[in-house]
Amino acid sequence: MLTPDTKRQAVMLLQSNRLVEARTLLEQYCRKDRNDIESWIYLVQINARLGQPDRVETCCREIIRIQPKSHDAHYHMGCALMFQGKRQEAARTFDRARELKPAHAPTHLQSGHVSTSPTEALQHYQRAVELEPAFAEAHGALGAALVSCSRVAEAIGSFRQALRLNSKLHRLHSDLLFTLNYGADQDASAVFSEHRRWGELHSLPAVTSLGNSPDPDRRLRVGYVSPDLREHSVAYFFEPLLVNHAADSIETFCYAEVAQPDTVTQRLQPLSEHWLTTCGMSDIALSERIRADRIDILVDLAGHSSNNRLLTFSTRAAPVQVTYLGYPNTTGLKAVDYRLTDGWADPPGQTEKFHTEKLVRLPQGFLCYRPPADSPPVASLPATTRGHIAFGSFNNLQKMTPEVVALWAELLHAVPDSRLVLKNYSLGDPALRARQFQLFAECGIPADRLDLRGRNDTLAEHLASYGDIDVALDSFPYNGTTTTCEAMFMGVPVVTLAGDRHAARVSASLLTQVGLSNLIAETPNAYLRIATELAADLEILAQLRAELRQRMTASPLFDGKRFARDVEHAYRDMWRDWCKLQRKEMQSTRTP
């Protein structure tokens, strides 16, 4: 029989962290008395701790039925809806929560998380900071919104303020590191120091013994850790490696931090011999699982990008640890041994000093591209029918720094009647479009020479948009990667400005692979010269348009089998070096 003692017993179980038992009793109690709001509140706490947002939502709805003006119920229900991916419903729920408690900073923070535009999110985060100046997470979210609005210098300031308030926020520290890559005024040595500081502040205790067999020639167990095994740029470059791994020498494991799998996830999963979804696992638990799987070489595909698992790598979860692909800089972790790159993105002797890892340069390029299967055909050169040259860039807005805008404006002045097409997610925001028009107006470029576009509904529509530009302009100091490949695959040559670090040299690597090193500029003046000369020669542009896709498909950039062999040779060399070290250590322990 259920009595008030039953409820007290449930609360005692909750306090003892016996959550499932406590929930069972409380649910029985609520079936007896559906209006007992206290029990529903306990159930919200339990289900949140158990990571079950659908049950949190149900309990919150019951509380709202009993007490319609409960701010806390609306707030927690909004969070539960957000975790379930129901962003529009979450936004409406947070709207109601703000009506009930306008000065609640966390509600403004969560409202920003589900906002549909960067400007709207920015306003919510600014309000959260105003209400609670010591709210570190709000300063961090404000920094992220400022990045989306291409206000990089302000974003860096917000991230630094968040870390002054709470230096333990390793994910916000990663956000700062990522943002430093965008700043043209950021010294490479200072950026490296900040990465190394991340490693010093946030590393977890290392595992003392791994027990992998030091056989240099056996089949290797290789694990890939990534949040981007889904519809994401990383997947375009990872899939050719995964599908072409030699099964007789490599056993593949994928550790996927993917909360919402999609069609790309479904395509990748059967390509890996072992697949584990890691969402909800702590870094220590993931490290233990990787050790239990006896991974020999563990590969990070995220670096300091969102939802990374670098703390797992900091524990030395595998004998050999590598970073690759998803981030254009060092991890800053001593526990990560190698970084895969090439001699164009990291010329020998130029960038080693900016990495805690040893650079391993693949001989024919560090990237291999897989275009979408539904890519549209290459369109004819638009300048031949429109009577003017259209330059274009589909890179993220945060890559379009004031220095980039100034150089592109100079190019538009140099090529009369030319137009500039810019397209990215952020430009779907009217306020950000207006700001971009203003930035170019300050450089003497009127709005009628700009075509600013937001994102397309489908990837095929996005690729078809390259049919509207004649020459693609790469951003700097943070180059495009996917956008450079997309442009070339759609027949559009890309002009790039190569810099002094990896992020500023990725397009140089890509262009070299397809035999277009003549489009790589070493100075801003050379960038202008190359772009203006291309714009003046429609015959050359038409020829490139007609042959560029074929040049790409015949280049190392599309040779997945060759690329996989190069990576596997690199892995084998790393593994043999580790085995040699183990044998030396064993011999030294046996020496009297």
Side-chain angles (χ1 to χ4, degrees):
M1 180 178 178
L2 298 174
T3 67
D5 286 338
T6 306
K7 185 173 171 182
R8 283 193 290 271
Q9 182 184 357
V11 173
M12 291 174 63
L13 289 168
L14 171 59
Q15 292 170 345
S16 300
N17 208 36
R18 295 164 65 180
L19 302 181
V20 175
E21 295 171 80
R23 182 172 66 185
T24 299
L25 288 178
L26 287 168
E27 286 176 340
Q28 292 174 358
Y29 199 86
C30 286
R31 281 195 291 270
K32 175 188 175 185
D33 183 359
R34 290 190 64 232
N35 292 323
D36 182 27
I37 195 167
E38 185 179 40
S39 293
W40 288 115
I41 292 172
Y42 282 132
L43 283 171
V44 168
Q45 296 173 17
I46 291 169
N47 288 317
R49 288 169 62 180
L50 288 171
Q52 297 183 325
D54 54 336
R55 291 194 176 204
V56 172
E57 177 192 348
T58 299
C59 296
C60 286
R61 291 191 186 280
E62 291 291 342
I63 295 170
I64 292 168
R65 175 184 60 79
I66 302 165
Q67 195 175 91
K69 292 187 178 181
S70 169
H71 162 270
D72 288 356
H74 283 89
Y75 172 77
H76 289 295
M77 186 167 79
C79 294
L81 290 165
M82 181 175 64
F83 283 120
Q84 294 176 80
K86 303 175 182 178
R87 295 177 64 86
Q88 291 184 344
E89 193 175 353
R92 292 192 295 270
T93 305
F94 287 131
D95 286 345
R96 177 58 176 152
R98 292 198 317 276
E99 290 174 6
L100 294 168
K101 198 171 183 180
H104 187 245
T107 303
H108 286 275
L109 176 68
Q110 301 300 339
S111 295
H113 291 344
V114 295
S115 293
T116 56
S117 76
T119 300
E120 181 183 306
L122 183 68
Q123 292 169 348
H124 283 301
Y125 298 143
Q126 287 173 328
R127 182 59 178 150
V129 167
E130 290 170 4
L131 290 168
E132 197 172 325
F135 193 178
E137 289 83 354
H139 284 280
L142 177 59
L146 288 164
V147 170
S148 297
C149 295
S150 194
R151 293 162 61 177
V152 172
E154 295 172 78
I156 291 170
S158 287
F159 288 132
R160 292 197 186 282
Q161 177 60 15
L163 293 169
R164 279 192 289 270
L165 292 166
N166 187 347
S167 62
K168 296 181 180 180
L169 296 173
H170 66 92
R171 294 198 182 278
L172 285 183
H173 202 170
S174 284
D175 290 341
L176 168 64
L177 298 181
F178 205 124
T179 305
L180 292 174
N181 292 298
Y182 295 116
D185 59 341
Q186 296 296 318
D187 176 74
S189 295
V191 173
F192 170 60
S193 294
E194 192 66 44
H195 280 78
R196 191 165 53 187
R197 180 170 174 264
W198 189 99
E200 293 168 352
L201 284 175
H202 305 298
S203 292
L204 298 173
V207 175
T208 55
S209 178
L210 290 167
N212 298 61
S213 171
D215 179 348
D217 299 313
R218 66 174 172 79
R219 190 183 188 212
L220 295 177
R221 299 164 73 89
V222 177
Y224 293 99
V225 183
S226 176
D228 300 321
L229 304 180
R230 54 188 173 85
E231 186 66 61
H232 188 278
S233 296
V234 164
Y236 303 151
F237 299 93
F238 177 56
E239 186 169 353
L241 175 60
L242 189 60
V243 75
N244 286 293
H245 262 317
D248 61 341
S249 62
I250 301 292
E251 183 178 358
T252 53
F253 296 70
C254 283
Y255 300 95
E257 185 73 8
V258 179
Q260 295 180 313
D262 57 20
T263 55
V264 174
T265 311
Q266 294 168 4
R267 189 172 71 239
L268 292 176
Q269 189 164 349
L271 299 177
S272 180
E273 293 179 69
H274 309 273
W275 186 282
L276 176 69
T277 299
T278 60
C279 297
M281 294 181 71
S282 71
D283 292 293
I284 295 296
L286 178 55
S287 177
E288 291 173 349
R289 174 58 187 266
I290 290 166
R291 296 200 305 278
D293 288 339
R294 293 179 290 111
I295 297 301
D296 301 308
I297 298 178
L298 188 66
V299 186
D300 157 56
L301 298 178
H304 287 282
S305 60
S306 298
N307 300 316
N308 70 75
R309 301 305 298 258
L310 286 181
L311 289 185
T312 293
F313 282 79
S314 75
T315 68
R316 176 60 71 179
V320 176
Q321 300 196 139
V322 184
T323 186
Y324 170 61
L325 185 60
Y327 182 66
N329 213 321
T330 182
T331 63
L333 284 172
K334 293 179 180 178
V336 177
D337 308 291
Y338 302 96
R339 176 176 171 79
L340 293 181
T341 183
D342 62 41
W344 301 294
D346 288 281
Q350 182 168 315
T351 59
E352 287 88 347
K353 61 186 176 182
F354 302 139
H355 291 83
T356 52
E357 308 86 4
K358 179 180 179 180
L359 297 182
V360 174
R361 295 176 176 88
L362 300 178
Q364 298 187 67
F366 82 103
L367 292 169
C368 187
Y369 177 61
R370 180 195 183 278
D374 60 348
S375 299
V378 175
S380 59
L381 188 71
T384 57
T385 56
R386 296 183 181 176
H388 66 262
I389 284 289
F391 298 106
S393 178
F394 294 176
N395 283 301
N396 292 333
L397 190 64
Q398 52 264 41
K399 293 184 178 182
M400 299 177 190
T401 63
E403 293 81 4
V404 171
V405 170
L407 190 60
W408 287 353
E410 193 173 345
L411 176 60
L412 292 174
H413 286 302
V415 183
D417 299 324
S418 60
R419 304 290 190 274
L420 178 62
V421 182
L422 302 179
K423 187 173 86 68
N424 53 58
Y425 165 78
S426 296
L427 289 176
D429 186 323
L432 294 181
R433 282 202 306 275
R435 182 175 183 270
Q436 207 67 10
F437 279 126
Q438 180 60 34
L439 290 174
F440 277 93
E442 292 170 0
C443 296
I445 302 299
D448 61 5
R449 295 189 67 185
L450 300 174
D451 180 356
L452 306 185
R453 309 178 185 182
R455 67 182 299 172
N456 295 107
D457 291 333
T458 68
L459 186 55
E461 290 173 337
H462 164 72
L463 292 173
S465 297
Y466 284 99
D468 294 331
I469 63 176
D470 303 287
V471 179
L473 303 176
D474 197 18
S475 53
F476 57 89
Y478 197 150
N479 292 171
T481 302
T482 305
T483 49
T484 298
C485 289
E486 288 175 345
M488 292 193 294
F489 192 70
M490 297 307 299
V492 184
V494 181
V495 180
T496 190
L497 175 58
D500 65 349
R501 63 202 76 179
H502 180 96
R505 301 190 62 86
V506 172
S507 288
S509 171
L510 295 168
L511 288 165
T512 301
Q513 288 193 63
V514 297
L516 289 176
S517 56
N518 59 307
L519 301 184
I520 303 169
E522 299 295 335
T523 66
N525 285 339
Y527 186 100
L528 289 174
R529 176 184 57 76
I530 293 169
T532 54
E533 288 178 356
L534 271 179
D537 196 332
L538 296 189
E539 184 177 345
I540 290 293
L541 283 177
Q543 182 180 345
L544 284 170
R545 194 90 174 190
E547 68 181 31
L548 197 43
R549 181 173 288 191
Q550 177 58 33
R551 289 178 69 159
M552 283 188 78
T553 56
S555 75
L557 188 57
F558 267 60
D559 190 347
K561 290 183 179 179
R562 182 275 316 164
F563 179 73
R565 299 298 85 76
D566 286 348
V567 172
E568 288 164 1
H569 288 153
Y571 288 167
R572 185 61 65 180
D573 288 343
M574 297 172 192
W575 180 248
R576 286 174 176 159
D577 285 345
W578 181 82
C579 291
K580 288 179 185 177
L581 183 61
Q582 296 307 299
R583 288 197 295 271
K584 287 182 180 178
E585 290 181 356
M586 290 171 65
Q587 290 171 0
S588 65
T589 58
R590 292 171 184 168
T591 303

